[in-house]
Amino acid sequence: MTNIHNCDKSGYKAWLVYNQATWTKPNPNTVLFDSICADPVQKELEVAVEELKEALTAISGKIPELVSKPTSGNTVLIHLIPQRKTLKTADTGNGSESDGYISDSEACRLDNEGFIIKSCQTGGANCTVIAAKTGAGALYGVFALIRHILCGTFDKNAYIVQNPAIKLRMLNQWDNMDGSIERGYAGNSIFYRNGQITTDLRRVRDYARLMASVGLNSIVLNNVNVHGPETRLITKEQLPKVARLADIFREYGIKIYLSINYSSPIELGGLDTADPLDSRVRSWWSEKASEIYEYIPDFGGFLVKADSEFRPGPFTYGRNHAEGANMLAAALKPYGGLVIWRCFVYNCRQDWRDRVTDRANSAYDNFMPLDGSFDDNVILQIKNGPMDFQVREPVSPLIGGLKKSNYMLELQVTQEYTGQQRHLCYLAPMWKDVLDFDTYSRGKGSTVARLLSEPEDGLISGIAAVSNIGDDMNWTGHDLAQANLYCYGRLAWDPWLTSEEIAREWTMQTFGRDPVVTDTITGMLLDSYHIYESYTTPLGIGWMVNPGHHYGPNVDGYEYSAWGTYHRADHKGIGVDRSVATGTGFAGKYFPPNSSIYESIETCPEELLLFFHRVEYDYRLKSGVTLIQYIYDSHFEGAARAAELVDRWKSLEGRIGSDCFGRVLARLEEQAAHACEWRDVINSYFYRKSGIPDEKSRPIY
Ligand code: GCU
């Protein structure tokens, strides 16, 4: 009680809070390190050494000695594994050569970003060796070691080998150069201010640290909606400043990418067309690529939102997405750059009276026919669901549907539809539902996690997510929303971790190891997604939000709009029939047995019932309650459980820093009140539509 770990009042340090309170010797197999050994001429290891030194100094209260050879005491030895040819011959006893610390066969188990943590005795010192083939791998190893120390799980005899499951692990910043952030809920951009790239590079560096600490390796520095000023990021006037950002991220093993405007040849190049098959356009992009790589030799590539929500693209010229993407791919190819091409393509000018067109079909219908026609440095970026980051959607059938194209999953860390960082909504359970979903694309066991970690032969895959950070001191507005950034990185590294494991380790690193704190916060995080879903839009219906900003209930907010987002509620029932037999046919886009499971109202998972089916209010769910009663019950219970979150948090008073305690309490109280608003608006709407009263006679208006 007295030893409050979180002395980081502002929340700025996020989960990288190190202090002596962190160090409670949990078992005899733990040691405190007194020195760090790394070859001082290896520049690649500088950041790893710095990070480790900072952590150990704060945790032990003593600056660890930097030594070039381990001689005594407890040492962390950071070791860059030499190329095979330079391995010294030393017999490891298993027939394999060794460089003194790592055998040849061990080295073979590592990819470029992987690491090994193991113990050894050398030169009179007890060493914990962190070995990797690159500086990035060593840095990930260092952060893993720090995580184990902070969580009390470090064992001096541990033998850990890790490689990231997914190669490309990316964040998408939706930041604009005026400093605003599209769908940002934590202040303004840390990258831009008043039309200029920031000079506050310290904050950028601290963000790079947070990213690297959870294993992320790529970042797109501007919004997918590229307007006038951002179009100019690829010009000589901005590139030197972009290069400065790239320098910082590079130190942390992170490559930078830019979102581009497909009409750049017109807007910047003075051409009269951006037609991807026009030779002038092709040469303009080739020259542009060569210019970019002069400034940033390891530039990652372009992210492109084309022919989507009024953004320009190849359709204007009668070309398809493959022709559009391949033209850019050809320009980047000589430099190893990638084109990340978004599949978020649909008709956003739909007539709500049209019951045949279904936005859910759109990405699939646009991209499946093109499977196999994209160049090998194009990656298709697919939102997790077929609509748009709703609270609950089925997994996009393009994932696993595409077999001959590179693709990556797109998630949203920023809580656009999940409470905008005013409500607590820990997203790991939602993402686990996606990652664990069996697509049956390669037969049983073809989970999304497996498809992303083992792409088809010769293909590449990845994962991206829209970031939730801004320049609020605590990065994410809601302190507990930091857990979402954290868990995104951890799942990108290892999609088989459980939501609970990640919640626990995040909580311990952020708040220390008081078991009451860990259990309470972990429990709150784990419950929060279902609580949020139950008082907002249960059963997969979605979209009942205020148009534009998307915060708060408005059941018909999008019902008569052009965005293709309809629930079709009337006095008899609600939901969209997406079956093949009688509906829009979307259910048929999945591999069996998913297609038949979704096709039938009897077998459709209930959490997606109204996504796939139109259901009458008196239909009985598996539990025996009617649909209308379920809607009432869910909203009453959800709001009650949101109120309980306040009490659960209050039980921690005195156990965590008072600043953070107060900030989170204020948000939870707002959430509880707002959950009542959701409950009453939704319940009243359905009562008025259906005329069916609540069996329990609770207040409905
Ligand atoms: C959502 C979001 C937009 C965003 C778009 C996208 O529709 O509301 O702000 O631009 O997704 O992913 O491109």
Side-chain angles (χ1 to χ4, degrees), residues 290-489:
S290 124
E291 190 175 300
I292 294 171
Y293 281 90
E294 271 170 38
Y295 289 92
I296 309 159
D298 56 353
F299 178 65
F302 298 144
L303 173 62
V304 194
K305 174 174 178 177
D307 292 314
S308 164
E309 299 183 333
F310 313 111
R311 304 318 305 148
F315 284 173
T316 311
Y317 310 97
R319 312 299 181 194
N320 67 30
H321 283 276
E323 290 165 322
N326 292 345
M327 177 274 292
L328 293 172
L332 295 177
K333 179 100 184 166
Y335 314 96
L338 297 174
V339 173
I340 298 175
W341 191 268
R342 294 178 89 224
C343 296
F344 183 59
V345 175
Y346 68 99
N347 173 14
C348 63
R349 296 291 85 188
Q350 188 179 331
D351 184 344
W352 57 268
R353 299 165 193 85
D354 167 7
R355 285 181 173 247
V356 178
T357 310
D358 180 5
R359 174 167 162 181
N361 285 326
S362 184
Y364 191 95
D365 289 349
N366 271 291
F367 286 90
M368 274 306 282
L370 297 175
D371 191 18
S373 38
F374 290 93
D375 284 350
D376 61 4
N377 59 331
V378 175
I379 308 188
L380 299 175
Q381 184 164 302
I382 308 167
K383 285 192 180 184
N384 62 278
M387 298 295 275
D388 189 3
F389 299 139
Q390 295 305 290
V391 180
R392 170 101 47 185
E393 292 186 40
V395 169
S396 168
L398 270 178
I399 299 168
L402 294 169
K403 300 248 186 202
K404 293 176 281 183
S405 311
N406 301 319
Y407 62 84
M408 60 200 283
L409 171 68
E410 179 177 335
L411 302 170
Q412 198 183 38
V413 192
T414 194
Q415 291 174 241
E416 178 176 1
Y417 292 97
T418 50
Q420 304 199 352
Q421 283 140 249
R422 310 205 72 78
H423 293 230
L424 178 63
C425 191
Y426 173 58
L427 296 168
M430 181 206 262
W431 298 334
K432 284 295 285 181
D433 285 347
V434 174
L435 292 164
D436 293 344
F437 176 72
D438 195 344
T439 65
Y440 286 88
S441 148
R442 300 179 205 158
K444 197 169 165 41
S446 308
T447 59
V448 172
R450 191 174 144 218
L451 299 182
L452 296 178
S453 59
E454 298 166 23
E456 306 276 351
D457 267 356
L459 295 184
I460 43 178
S461 63
I463 187 164
V466 185
S467 176
N468 65 347
I469 69 109
D471 69 357
D472 277 3
M473 272 319 280
N474 68 354
W475 300 93
T476 52
H478 199 311
D479 287 65
L480 302 187
Q482 291 178 354
N484 285 331
L485 186 62
Y486 181 87
C487 75
Y488 166 63

